[in-house]
Amino acid sequence: MTTVDADPYAAYTEQAEDYDVGWAELDEVLPPFTAGLLAAAGRLLATLAYRDALDYGDRPFKRRSPKARHRVLAKLPTDCDRQDQAFRLRLARSLNDLAGDIEAGRAPLPRCTGERHALELMIDCAPQLLACSDAELRQLGIPVPDTSDEYDYHAPYWDPVWSEFIVDGAEDSIPEAQATAEDQDQPEPPPDGWTAPRFWFSPYGITTVRDPGRRHPDWVTASLDGSEVVEPEPQEFARAARLLGFTDRADPWQAYTDEYRDEGRCLAEVLTPLGAALLEAAARELVARGYEEVVAYGDRPFDRDAAEDDYSEDDSDDGFLALLPPVCDGQNAAWRLAMVRAVNDLAEDLRAGRAPLPRCNAEEIALHLILSWAAALLEDLDDPQVAAEHGVPTREAFTVRHRQFAQMRETFLQDDDFMMFYDAGMAEVAGDPDHLAMRYLHVGDIRPPSWWWTFGNLRPRDAARGFDPRVLERLASSPALRFTGPEGVGEPEGSDTIPVLSAGLVEEFELFVGLAQRRFFDRRCAVAMARSLARLLTAFLDAPDLHVHRVWMLGQCAVVGEEMLIVDEDFSIDGHRHTWRLHADQTDGQARTWTLRLLADCSTKILLQYATAAPELLLDMDHKAPPPVDQALPQTLAERSRAMGQSTTLAGFLRYRRRILGVDVGDVAEAAILPSAVVAGWEAGGPAAPSQLIRCAPVLQLPEAVLLTAADGRRDPGYWPLPAIRATAHGSEGAE
């Protein structure tokens, strides 16, 4: 890049004094590395913009075309889609003009709105060049930072470029916006404003006009004169598109939820492809060590003193379990297996070109291990043999841009609260969520059993992604596992006699039970419960001739609009033996027991009234004969009630959690290293041993305490939300 000894802001005219223009020292706004990136981006964009102008000519640009995303035209406002070839050629030349200003040591001052958009494009695309190797940057004429200390380097800041060179309101200085005579007022802006595409190349009055005789590049002129597009160099279009990230298909930030995604971030500013390769190599080695130790230790507590002796005997580095905080030493094999997979998941992100964004506390620890291991591995890469074994270049290739470990931590981690477990003085505090310091800092529960819930600003991982079959095969024969046994373990007694319940009955039962747990029993909740109860009784009876509403037609029934409910105005219902008042604020276990008793009593009343043709049914009004009641129905209802009783809080929670995560019983059992029949037994209402149940926490992506709470008959709405009450089309209440 050449530099001239001239005023970098010489293009400003006297009229610029009426605007808020920047006059900062050019090397402060555009230091050599930043300037080189911006100029190179301008040249590459110009190449692609010229290609687009030659390809499309005067034809409209169709954004829905499969190849549209690889076009510079796709990055312009939609108002530009129908502009002609001359417009597109001028835009391409604007990119070259600004790049030329930078290369000549001048400030890239936009001389028109077209150049303003060109500069904005250059600023947006320049960070993509950070993904280049150092050799590629040098080929582009970009000076590579030569500092060796990562703390002395940072990716270029682009905000100063915007604020110093892009002048607000500069479009008001174009000739069309000026009065034609001194005694006339300034014309009103048109409806589409002075920034409309038709004014893009009207020169600003605040800057001097460029030489109107400047030409397009020779290869463009040759293409315009000929019948075919001629590339400036072989494969130059493909190279420019690749370097600018136009061909990238992976969204590096896709793990973020829509609310937290920032489309303007460039991964290469923090993590270059070469840096990602280093991290992936470190993760790959950690995963191999981790799986070996999971098989070897199984469920046995990790003895650090004994392990240290083993490591010293074979002259190896620390093992995987030793790298975890001591608070993890007593975790079970399923927890350890998931911890190794957390490292592997981040390695998969790196291999796919995604940012290694930890989705939970376990993955934050995993990223910490990867970064620490990568820093140590880097020191060993002076040996070409070590570098070859890991599939990465030797140490000298990793200049400061490719090893920004501190910046990676700051960018990818939510926080580093977990580091307290590595501090002997803070570990006890970190292990007590109720400690005053933890409460003051709003840290929450960061103990290892709670490491698996997904952060709110990130998407959960696919819970059914499974494990390496070779690891599972070795684990199955490990003598260090605590739980082994035949597939029949855990099935409840008599499960073969339990009838299969209809999906509608199960769904309505869970809905009513959920409504009975709502914190406030207001009218909206009461109406939703009354409606659900009527549907629940209907599904429970499964007898079309037995109409539930007829049994409770008489009396002071509650009314919503024109609808009469089966409860009275106090939201009570008379059963066969008891009067049941609807209410909420129950635990899940209480709600299930209460609902089953309510169902049994009310269904008995229905059967008796129909069996005796009770006058309350008002059958005479319709001149109907009493429908016969199946003599086997009472026994059938008793069996259904028993089957519904098997739907414990834990069973309902496991089914719900599996459904939203998209996993089956086999997936859960595999991750928990348990026989499938054990998990199936829990869902069939069987008892669960806490030491077995907590092994499912990682695959179900929740804290162990939530599972234990469910086993105790209590529901955590944070992981199993209560039914929402919505307004129906008639303004009344419904539930879902």
Side-chain angles (χ1 to χ4, degrees), residues 512-708:
F512 187 80
V513 167
L515 290 170
Q517 297 173 67
R518 289 181 62 87
R519 180 67 180 86
F520 298 106
F521 185 71
D522 52 14
R523 179 175 175 80
R524 295 174 68 246
C525 180
V527 170
M529 287 186 71
R531 286 178 169 148
S532 177
L533 177 58
R535 295 191 299 267
L536 179 57
L537 283 166
T538 301
F540 183 61
L541 291 168
D542 194 21
D545 291 334
L546 305 184
H547 298 285
V548 171
H549 284 82
R550 276 190 175 275
V551 178
W552 288 280
M553 280 196 304
L554 301 180
Q556 299 297 319
C557 293
V559 176
V560 178
E562 298 180 357
E563 177 188 4
M564 186 168 66
L565 305 177
I566 64 172
V567 296
D568 63 22
E569 293 178 343
D570 292 328
F571 291 95
S572 298
I573 185 170
D574 291 329
H576 175 57
R577 296 183 180 276
H578 303 284
T579 297
W580 302 85
R581 190 177 191 282
L582 303 185
H583 64 286
D585 200 20
Q586 305 180 61
T587 67
D588 192 89
Q590 291 170 343
R592 290 174 188 274
T593 301
W594 174 73
T595 301
L596 289 173
R597 291 172 56 210
L598 169 62
L599 271 180
D601 195 36
C602 290
S603 61
T604 299
K605 179 173 181 175
I606 295 171
L607 293 180
L608 286 174
Q609 291 217 359
Y610 273 96
T612 60
E616 298 96 299
L617 297 176
L618 302 179
L619 295 173
D620 292 340
M621 294 181 62
D622 297 333
H623 304 289
K624 289 184 177 180
V629 177
D630 184 355
Q631 297 300 310
L633 188 54
Q635 178 61 31
T636 301
L637 294 183
E639 292 175 357
R640 282 181 191 157
S641 182
R642 184 164 66 88
M644 293 166 68
Q646 298 289 349
S647 183
T648 61
T649 302
L650 177 60
F653 180 48
L654 291 175
R655 286 194 296 268
Y656 168 80
R657 197 68 185 168
R658 283 199 303 103
R659 178 172 59 82
I660 66 168
L661 291 175
V663 294
D664 58 28
V665 169
D667 295 326
V668 176
E670 178 184 89
I673 320 177
L674 290 171
S676 294
V678 171
V679 180
W682 297 339
E683 292 197 10
S691 57
Q692 290 182 319
L693 184 60
I694 61 175
R695 301 168 76 91
C696 301
V699 66
L700 295 177
Q701 300 180 7
L702 42 73
E704 294 174 6
V706 175
L707 283 170
L708 297 176

Side-chain angles (χ1 to χ4, degrees), residues 7 24 119 322 561:
D7 177 9
L119 182 59

Side-chain angles (χ1 to χ4, degrees), residues 76-210:
L76 301 180
T78 56
D79 291 349
C80 299
D81 291 352
R82 294 187 174 276
Q83 296 300 314
D84 59 14
Q85 186 181 62
F87 176 94
R88 293 162 178 167
L89 289 170
R90 296 179 79 176
L91 175 70
R93 188 169 59 187
S94 295
L95 291 159
N96 262 342
D97 288 340
L98 291 167
D101 286 341
I102 298 170
E103 292 165 351
R106 298 188 296 268
L109 304 177
R111 314 289 181 94
C112 59
T113 299
E115 289 194 15
R116 171 178 177 151
H117 283 276
L119 182 59
E120 290 172 349
L121 273 177
M122 292 164 61
I123 295 172
D124 286 342
C125 293
Q128 298 293 335
L129 297 179
L130 293 170
C132 294
S133 67
D134 291 353
E136 286 177 316
L137 291 182
R138 294 188 181 99
Q139 289 174 358
L140 292 169
I142 302 172
V144 177
D146 58 1
T147 180
S148 60
D149 189 342
E150 68 169 291
Y151 293 99
D152 291 336
Y153 169 80
H154 61 75
Y157 296 131
W158 299 105
D159 285 348
V161 182
W162 283 86
S163 59
E164 290 298 325
F165 304 140
I166 295 179
V167 180
D168 290 337
E171 66 275 7
D172 294 333
S173 68
I174 64 175
E176 292 86 345
Q178 310 308 309
T180 57
E182 293 184 1
D183 58 346
Q184 290 183 346
D185 294 332
Q186 191 168 0
E188 290 293 325
D192 51 355
W194 298 121
T195 58
R198 56 198 169 102
F199 301 117
W200 269 29
F201 298 104
S202 292
Y204 289 159
I206 64 172
T207 53
T208 57
V209 179
R210 292 193 186 275

Side-chain angles (χ1 to χ4, degrees), residues 28 77 104 120 171 208 277 362 386 395 440 484 493 594 688:
E28 293 181 3
E120 290 172 349
E171 66 275 7
T208 57
V386 174
R395 174 69 175 78
Y440 177 78
T484 57
E493 296 182 4
W594 174 73

